[in-house]
Amino acid sequence: MSATRGQAAGTGVRVVSADGTGIAFEQSGSGPAVVLVASALADRSDTTRLAALLAEHFTVINYDRRGRGASGDADAYAVEREIEDIAALIEHVGGSASLFGSSSGAVLALRAAAAGVNIDRLALYEPPFVVADGDDGPPRDVARQVTALLAQGRDSDAVKYFMTRVQGMPGIAVFMKLMPKVWANLTRLARTLPYDIAVMGDTQQGKPLDAEEWKGASMPTRVLTGGKSPAAFQRAARAVTEILPRADHRTLPGLNHGAVVMAPRKIAPQITEFLKG
């Protein structure tokens, strides 16, 4: 895969992915490279503080996933295109790098690893697999529901549906009223919700992970979870360690699913320690 460097409006630089889509990113720090992979309804602004902390030890690539921020997009989406985006960013920094991903971004990072992208180490925060019968997962028709809302131009309603029915967040109406600017930013990312739903695939249906699907991820892997997060995240993390040959799990006391944005100072040391080996 080739990657070229060029200017991007309102940002640092871009790589050009395999399908010609420009992927915008900011590069900071020096040392071994790490690429930050954002979650649903997030762009690189959500990981700016984490990137600054990690840049004390690493060359950090903080990028906008396709369709977000200053990155481009294509007419048709496939998870494989996002894997190619990661590969292009890794080629830009010399051909190998570690990845850190959170939530559905952790699953995208894991998919890139399983696909054979040249990844040194893989750090994941709370991949939202649903692996046990009885754990709450999204509705089976979540893709259809979100796509229908977006087709009707109801982007705000699509975000609300996703946050309540998929992420299980109560009180969204209050949130919308108290934080209108934040809600506006989320709504701008609504069109990429189907991307994260595709990344998750059928992994949220309360059944064990398919070891064959992930066997390509043979590099050292650490799965982090927050001690205040629902038990389903702990079960998901243990499931990952059971199917990957070089994976382990650490629980971070006092943190929840939003910790990457809200408490980066508590997560950065854990990522740093692991990536340094």
Side-chain angles (χ1 to χ4, degrees):
M1 173 176 298
S2 64
T4 60
R5 180 171 175 164
Q7 294 300 315
T11 186
V13 289
R14 283 186 176 184
V15 294
V16 179
S17 195
D19 70 343
T21 299
I23 304 299
F25 67 95
E26 292 179 346
Q27 179 172 327
S28 57
S30 61
V34 56
V35 179
L36 307 185
V37 187
S39 64
L41 294 174
D43 58 21
R44 61 190 163 97
S45 66
D46 291 86
T47 42
T48 297
R49 291 195 296 159
L50 178 63
L53 294 167
L54 294 177
E56 298 175 9
H57 307 277
F58 306 103
T59 297
V60 180
I61 302 297
N62 189 20
Y63 80 104
D64 286 328
R65 286 173 55 186
R66 61 174 52 213
R68 312 179 190 202
S71 286
D73 206 352
D75 292 335
Y77 177 80
V79 176
E80 290 77 13
R81 302 294 82 75
E82 289 219 72
I83 293 173
E84 291 167 355
D85 299 344
I86 291 172
L89 291 162
I90 289 176
E91 185 172 327
H92 164 76
V93 292
S96 67
S98 295
L99 298 185
F100 170 75
S102 61
S103 194
S104 56
V107 179
L108 177 56
L110 188 54
R111 289 198 183 280
V117 176
N118 194 12
I119 296 166
D120 298 324
R121 286 176 170 256
L122 190 61
L124 312 174
Y125 188 77
E126 296 198 345
F129 296 127
V130 181
V131 298
D133 188 24
D135 284 344
D136 289 334
R140 292 295 180 98
D141 65 345
V142 58
R144 183 176 65 82
Q145 294 285 357
V146 169
T147 300
L149 290 169
L150 294 174
Q152 297 166 26
R154 297 167 60 190
D155 291 14
S156 182
D157 288 336
V159 173
K160 184 177 179 180
Y161 178 88
F162 186 84
M163 295 180 74
T164 54
R165 300 299 302 277
V166 179
Q167 296 181 323
M169 296 178 63
I172 294 301
V174 175
F175 180 83
M176 292 169 64
K177 292 179 180 178
L178 294 180
M179 305 186 72
K181 289 185 178 180
V182 173
W183 190 260
N185 289 336
L186 294 174
T187 301
R188 276 193 285 272
L189 296 169
R191 295 280 155 175
T192 62
L193 283 173
Y195 301 1
D196 290 277
I197 294 169
V199 165
M200 295 309 303
D202 64 353
T203 64
Q204 295 182 300
Q205 297 180 4
K207 58 185 181 181
L209 296 176
D210 180 1
E212 185 71 17
E213 184 176 3
W214 309 100
K215 67 179 183 179
S218 58
M219 66 290 298
T221 300
R222 175 157 296 171
V223 188
L224 301 171
T225 53
K228 286 188 174 182
S229 292
F233 286 114
Q234 318 301 330
R235 285 189 279 272
R238 289 193 293 270
V240 173
T241 65
E242 289 169 2
I243 64 169
L244 298 186
R246 303 172 70 186
D248 63 17
H249 171 218
R250 298 284 187 276
T251 298
L252 308 183
L255 300 185
N256 59 24
H257 196 59
V260 171
V261 175
M262 303 305 296
R265 289 190 175 277
K266 294 185 178 180
I267 291 181
Q270 301 293 329
I271 301 170
T272 299
E273 179 269 332
F274 172 68
L275 295 186
K276 284 187 172 183

